Amino acid sequence: MQVRVLMIPVLLALLALSALSACEEKQQLAGPQGEKGEQGPPGPAGPAGPPGPSGTVIRFVDGECRQACTVACEANERILTTYAINPGGTFVFEDEARATFRPQRQGAAVKVVVACAPK
């Protein structure tokens, strides 16, 4: 019975030493970090993402008018709004996709902007 009682502490001591020596060996095995290698080939494409939010896309068309000029949206669009920046003028709408702009003063440069939205 005494032999078994003495064997347990001896076995525990051996296990502890074994664990400590394993840690020391791991520390000794690690060397200095090497140089960075070349980049590998690109991986496969990932899955497609979720669809974006649906909604209306508004497209802006701008230009400069010094005399009467026509501003228009594409055939599948309609005019949402128009505006002219200094000195201003008048818009006459021909149809839902086209308007004629007449500046207040002939020869003065007027920036004209049209916002177009899908029909």
Side-chain angles (χ1 to χ4, degrees), residues 46-104:
S54 62
T56 302
V57 176
I58 298 173
R59 187 175 67 87
F60 291 89
V61 179
D62 62 348
E64 186 176 286
C65 293
R66 293 183 180 273
Q67 59 189 12
C69 63
T70 300
V71 293
C73 295
E74 299 292 329
N76 62 342
E77 297 174 323
R78 70 180 75 189
I79 294 176
L80 183 62
T81 189
T82 59
Y83 61 95
I85 301 172
N86 284 343
T90 306
F91 286 95
V92 177
F93 293 92
E94 308 297 327
D95 58 38
E96 66 179 4
R98 187 178 61 201
T100 299
F101 173 73
R102 292 187 174 85
Q104 285 179 350

